[in-house]
Amino acid sequence: MKTYLFYDIETTGLNKAFDQILHFAAIRTDLNFNELKRYELIVKLNPDVIPSPEAMLVHRMKLSDVANGISEYEAIQKIHAWMNEPGTISLGYNTLGFDDEFLRFSFYRNLLPPYTHQYANQCCRMDIYPIVVLYYLFKNSAIAWPEVHGSVSLKLEDINNANKFVTGRSHHAMVDVESTIALSKQLIKEREMWDYVCGNFDKKIEQVRLKKINTESALMVLGKFGFKQKYQSQVLPLGEHVHYKNQILFLRLDDKNFTAATKENILESTFVVRKKLGEAGFLFPFTERYTYCLDAERLALANVNKQWLKDNEALLTFVSDYHRHYEYPAVPDIDVDASLYVNGFWTSEEAMFCREFHSAAPDKKSKMIETVQNPNLSALAIRILGRHFPECLNSGQAEYFKNYIAQINNNATAPIIDYKGAARLTPKIALQKIAEARNENSLDCEQIGLLNNLEFRLHAT
């Protein structure tokens, strides 16, 4: 049976490779949003994670609350099982923009298959946020749209408040899940619209739809374009990426820098959207039925750029080839926790080790690690023991984990880097952020207490 699993996470920060979940909440429903089951987990802080002060101010979770939570290792195994229950459609508000990838890294560093919830056992993913963008443009009467500082806000908390869906504090995982379900119940009243937009999350359906769209230009709807751009842009399909087979490239035609493009300044003068099938960046024919929100100035700019492309066919070919062959710059010394996209999938033997590692008693896991040939797999397994079963580490493993923690806490050593080149948060930087937060924000008593407690913890490391 197909079911929806609406979920939300609150985390120690925004770094998907290095931060961790502190609060997970989910509600499983049938396809008419009738509740079937609830799940909720408070997760203990890992010894190698420094919470971001900004995140603590947003979700307001106390360190004393998470101290009594379950281990990340146990929590992630539960979440993985729930999301991989056959027929599960996992979704939430902006989950494909943040939560899903965060979970992917959490699965990876805990030696669980990071992608199976996307395709195995009739499982798949959706996201309510890009659906809301489409409703705002094409079914505007579906809900009340909040205005903040003169612009429509598509933040979940603002939509919830404007429509009075549920009560409770926003950025509380279960409250946000309840808000998302209430919003979905309102959207599905426009059943034809709902069924159509849900089809965009099916790769096969979206692929068929893309083939029917004029290849000379199309309308892309994407939340990242923003309110001022009406979440829309006229785009030119460039085709699939040569190296990254899951990417289809689209060149924006409403860029003011377009006609200044040369072979030397392609990155600065052209804007390409890298779209994945079944994810946001939905395409529509460039017809009046869909483009009525675009103002005359942007339409005129796109027409000028289209004509310029016709007059510069050789440069268009160069632009297309450049972007279709462009590879992300290599980042040296990526930390093993952040190496999901670098090292590829485990071999069948390594995957079997992961399964046996999970089922083994803690005191057996250390000896199992000694048999592993892959240094990345070995390091991930040692870190699991160090975080959750430190008493089971042998002397060599304990020394490795001690040095790893020292590297995080010792600002004199080289920073720990993720796959984008971003450094792992250190106590020194976190203390600087606390000072900035006190100076730059109007904080209430609860937030001041949160920062004070975090500061005390950081000084103790």
Side-chain angles (χ1 to χ4, degrees):
M1 179 180 76
K2 284 277 187 180
T3 59
Y4 288 128
L5 184 70
F6 288 88
Y7 74 97
D8 186 65
I9 60 176
E10 302 299 338
T11 68
T12 58
L14 299 178
N15 190 297
K16 297 164 186 175
F18 296 145
D19 280 299
Q20 70 162 98
I21 295 171
L22 294 178
H23 188 191
F24 175 90
I27 297 176
R28 190 179 297 278
T29 75
D30 63 21
L31 298 190
N32 291 314
F33 309 129
N34 297 304
E35 184 173 328
L36 302 174
K37 192 172 183 179
R38 290 191 173 215
Y39 315 85
E40 191 164 10
L41 300 171
I42 300 297
V43 185
K44 187 183 301 183
L45 188 66
N46 284 339
D48 57 334
V49 173
I50 309 298
S52 159
E54 298 96 327
M56 303 298 284
L57 292 176
V58 171
H59 58 58
R60 297 172 181 256
M61 295 188 69
K62 298 177 182 178
L63 294 176
S64 58
D65 292 337
V66 302
N68 297 317
I70 67 173
S71 72
E72 185 203 40
Y73 183 59
E74 182 181 356
I76 295 303
Q77 289 184 80
K78 288 178 180 291
I79 295 168
H80 190 269
W82 295 334
M83 298 188 79
N84 281 274
E85 186 174 311
T88 295
I89 304 169
S90 55
L91 73 169
Y93 202 84
N94 196 35
T95 41
L96 295 186
F98 178 74
D99 309 61
D100 184 83
E101 190 174 20
F102 200 102
L103 282 172
R104 207 180 303 158
F105 276 95
S106 300
F107 295 154
Y108 170 74
R109 72 168 170 266
N110 285 283
L111 304 186
L112 294 165
Y115 298 104
T116 50
H117 67 289
Q118 300 181 19
Y119 66 88
N121 299 314
Q122 296 186 308
C123 293
C124 60
R125 307 167 301 159
M126 284 175 48
D127 189 341
I128 299 301
Y129 172 62
I131 292 177
V132 164
V133 174
L134 292 175
Y135 270 78
Y136 171 68
L137 293 173
F138 305 127
K139 285 291 182 182
N140 194 263
S141 60
I143 61 170
W145 301 98
E147 284 198 13
V148 178
H149 304 306
S151 299
V152 168
S153 171
L154 299 187
K155 289 184 177 180
L156 179 62
E157 59 188 294
D158 294 329
I159 291 176
N160 181 54
N161 291 335
N163 291 273
K164 297 179 171 57
F165 286 140
V166 300
T167 58
R169 179 172 56 81
S170 61
H171 301 291
H172 179 283
M174 186 57 81
V175 173
D176 287 353
V177 169
E178 291 174 340
S179 300
T180 304
I181 294 175
L183 169 60
S184 301
K185 287 180 177 179
Q186 192 66 27
L187 299 179
I188 203 173
K189 290 180 180 178
E190 298 284 353
R191 188 75 204 208
E192 185 178 359
M193 176 75 168
W194 176 266
D195 289 342
Y196 180 85
V197 296
C198 287
N200 281 333
F201 295 97
D202 185 307
K203 292 182 180 181
K204 292 181 179 178
I205 292 176
E206 191 178 27
Q207 194 167 39
V208 170
R209 289 175 178 175
L210 290 179
K211 290 179 179 178
K212 296 179 181 179
I213 295 176
N214 191 323
T215 56
E216 291 186 4
S217 69
L219 182 74
M220 176 174 283
V221 176
L222 182 64
K224 290 181 179 179
F225 292 155
F227 173 75
K228 291 184 179 180
Q229 303 290 321
K230 298 300 182 185
Y231 308 104
Q232 298 169 298
S233 177
Q234 188 174 0
V235 295
L236 175 69
L238 297 181
E240 295 184 2
H241 197 283
V242 173
H243 304 290
Y244 310 123
K245 299 299 183 181
N246 61 341
Q247 292 184 3
I248 306 173
L249 306 186
F250 294 88
L251 180 67
R252 286 191 66 165
L253 293 174
D254 55 0
D255 194 321
K256 292 181 179 180
N257 298 321
F258 206 92
T259 55
T262 66
K263 291 183 178 181
E264 287 72 35
N265 67 359
I266 293 298
L267 276 179
E268 295 78 18
S269 58
T270 59
F271 188 100
V272 166
V273 179
R274 300 167 179 271
K275 175 178 167 48
K276 298 178 181 179
L277 286 173
E279 297 189 15
F282 299 137
L283 277 294
F284 297 91
F286 199 79
T287 63
E288 189 175 348
R289 179 183 179 184
Y290 301 104
T291 62
Y292 59 86
C293 291
L294 296 177
D295 58 66
E297 182 180 351
R298 289 181 69 199
L299 289 170
L301 176 61
N303 285 333
V304 168
N305 289 339
K306 286 171 66 177
Q307 184 58 50
W308 185 85
L309 286 174
K310 289 181 180 179
D311 296 337
N312 295 270
E313 290 186 6
L315 186 59
L316 173 59
T317 300
F318 183 86
V319 168
S320 177
D321 289 343
Y322 177 87
H323 285 292
R324 291 181 63 240
H325 288 84
Y326 177 83
E327 297 185 65
Y328 301 121
V331 177
D333 302 320
I334 296 173
D335 184 71
V336 65
D337 280 351
S339 61
L340 170 63
Y341 302 143
V342 178
N343 295 324
F345 295 99
W346 304 126
T347 66
S348 57
E349 292 80 8
E350 290 166 346
M352 181 180 294
F353 165 83
C354 293
R355 293 191 294 271
E356 293 175 349
F357 182 85
H358 293 311
S359 61
D363 60 343
K364 304 294 184 184
K365 295 181 190 294
S366 175
K367 292 182 179 179
M368 291 181 63
I369 295 173
E370 298 299 318
T371 68
V372 174
Q373 301 298 313
N374 185 329
N376 292 313
L377 182 55
S378 175
L380 289 171
I382 292 173
R383 290 185 185 185
I384 289 175
L385 287 189
R387 292 172 185 134
H388 310 295
F389 312 102
E391 69 283 358
C392 297
L393 293 167
N394 65 31
S395 59
Q397 294 164 352
E399 185 67 18
Y400 165 85
F401 193 74
K402 177 183 176 181
N403 293 336
Y404 161 64
I405 294 294
Q407 188 179 2
I408 295 173
N409 295 331
N410 185 353
N411 299 291
T413 60
I416 296 176
I417 299 297
D418 72 8
Y419 67 104
K420 291 184 177 180
R424 187 166 192 144
L425 187 62
T426 64
K428 180 180 179 180
I429 299 300
L431 287 168
Q432 291 174 1
K433 289 179 177 292
I434 289 174
E436 292 169 1
R438 285 175 175 149
N439 292 330
E440 298 174 3
N441 296 285
S442 264
L443 304 177
D444 56 40
C445 292
E446 183 183 35
Q447 290 174 314
I448 292 171
L450 289 168
L451 291 182
N452 289 342
N453 289 337
L454 179 57
E455 184 178 45
F456 178 81
R457 179 188 177 93
L458 292 171
H459 280 304
T461 57

